[in-house]
Amino acid sequence: MDYKELDNILSDAVNDSELCCDDIPSIALYLDQIVNLISAKSHEGAPRFYDRTLTKTMVNNYSKAGMITPITGKKYSKEQIVQMLMINSLKNTFSISEIKGAMDAFYAIDGVDGDTLMEVYDSYIELRHKAKVACTESTKSMIELNDFNIENKIDYLKAVLGVVAMADYFNCIAHAMLENILPQKAADEETDEYEVPKQIEREVKKGAKAVKKEAKKEYKAQKKSDSTKNDKPPVPSTDASIEDELSLIEAEVDRALRSDQASTED
């Protein structure tokens, strides 16, 4: 690892690409159009940011949580698209309940409307551009101040830990600042948008195991009963086929949950 390679790593690490308000059409869009628009923009950045794109399931979840203003028909306005973008970006740091609390507090301010939201969002995108420079420079300064020789593997790992420490404290600062303007109830909520899917997953797998156990028990009992009658036992399904059927059910559930979470998706 040399310093030129470090520069490349830092540059790639912050190479994301997000929509600004001017990139969003003024006309209302269908959800598929919005998802494609955001995905295309994210793919202008580094691959590490591809999985942060918005999905239809995520939008539906945000709508159900009351975080996106109700739509008329099947199209979303520019303001609603900006709401989606803001939520999708903030969820990398805050929980869904915290984001909802922040947006509720924002819209509760006198005089705030859709234009205000777009102004704030564009300011946020501008701040992200400045933060890219600040973060890379802070990383280099931390390495220099601690006399780390990144060509030495131990010192390089120490530098990684230094970045982790900074990220951890910045995360804590962001939460502390947000909590200062939120009602205590919203700040204390620990609800996770993935908790319900996780509970469903656990229950389905538990139920599948119970079904599997009972099916095997019944099959063995039937086999024993038929053998005492010297009859050839009917084999509508075997242990293996039962296992295969339940595995397919579990696989479908896992796939659906992963798609819903992509996020998580979140």
Side-chain angles (χ1 to χ4, degrees):
M1 168 67 67
D2 56 30
Y3 287 89
K4 182 177 181 180
E5 187 176 355
L6 176 65
D7 283 338
N8 292 334
I9 290 173
L10 296 180
S11 177
D12 180 75
V14 298
N15 182 24
D16 63 348
S17 184
E18 299 200 37
L19 292 170
C20 63
C21 289
D22 286 342
D23 297 322
I24 305 171
S26 298
I27 60 173
L29 299 176
Y30 288 107
L31 186 51
D32 282 336
Q33 294 174 308
I34 297 168
V35 170
N36 291 336
L37 180 67
I38 296 172
S39 178
K41 188 65 176 180
S42 70
H43 278 67
E44 293 178 9
R48 72 178 66 253
F49 295 101
Y50 293 176
D51 63 354
R52 292 190 180 186
T53 190
L54 199 68
T55 66
K56 293 171 68 173
T57 300
M58 291 162 65
V59 174
N60 289 332
N61 288 338
Y62 300 155
S63 296
K64 290 176 184 176
M67 303 169 70
I68 299 173
T69 53
I71 64 172
T72 302
K74 295 183 179 181
K75 292 185 177 182
Y76 293 82
S77 67
K78 188 169 183 176
E79 178 182 356
Q80 290 165 327
I81 296 172
V82 173
Q83 290 171 351
M84 297 176 198
L85 293 170
M86 185 69 85
I87 296 167
N88 195 45
S89 186
L90 294 180
K91 74 181 179 63
N92 296 312
T93 301
F94 298 121
S95 70
I96 290 301
S97 62
E98 288 173 322
I99 298 173
K100 187 177 187 307
M103 295 193 72
D104 287 346
F106 172 76
Y107 276 105
I109 300 173
D110 290 339
V112 161
D113 56 16
D115 290 338
T116 312
L117 175 66
M118 293 180 204
E119 179 187 343
V120 169
Y121 177 74
D122 273 343
S123 294
Y124 168 66
I125 295 300
E126 185 178 344
L127 286 169
R128 285 187 67 90
H129 292 157
K130 294 177 180 178
K132 292 181 183 183
V133 177
C135 287
T136 53
E137 292 303 319
S138 295
T139 300
K140 292 178 182 178
S141 296
M142 180 270 295
I143 292 172
E144 183 179 347
L145 289 172
N146 288 280
D147 293 322
F148 290 147
N149 176 14
I150 61 168
E151 296 180 357
N152 177 285
K153 291 183 178 180
I154 298 298
D155 275 6
Y156 182 78
L157 288 173
K158 288 180 180 179
V160 172
L161 293 176
V163 173
V164 170
M166 290 192 296
D168 186 26
Y169 284 122
F170 270 123
N171 188 285
C172 291
I173 290 171
H175 278 86
M177 292 178 68
L178 181 63
E179 289 166 7
N180 187 56
I181 63 170
L182 295 184
Q184 193 60 36
K185 180 180 178 182
D188 289 342
E189 282 181 351
E190 295 296 333
T191 54
D192 186 337
E193 63 178 317
Y194 302 136
E195 185 56 33
V196 172
K198 285 179 181 176
Q199 290 176 354
I200 295 173
E201 180 182 19
R202 287 193 292 267
E203 289 301 318
V204 168
K205 290 187 175 180
K206 182 179 178 181
K209 287 181 180 178
V211 170
K212 186 190 302 181
K213 183 177 179 181
E214 187 62 29
K216 286 183 176 180
K217 183 179 177 181
E218 290 181 3
Y219 174 70
K220 289 178 180 179
Q222 181 66 36
K223 187 176 180 180
K224 183 177 180 181
S225 174
D226 290 337
S227 64
T228 60
K229 299 177 183 178
N230 294 320
D231 293 329
K232 188 175 181 180
V235 233
S237 62
T238 63
D239 287 356
S241 65
I242 293 170
E243 184 84 26
D244 290 342
E245 289 174 12
L246 289 169
S247 294
L248 284 172
I249 292 172
E250 292 182 17
E252 285 299 322
V253 171
D254 287 340
R255 190 180 302 111
L257 288 168
R258 282 197 300 272
S259 175
D260 187 58
Q261 293 172 3
S263 82
T264 68
E265 259 183 63
D266 254 299

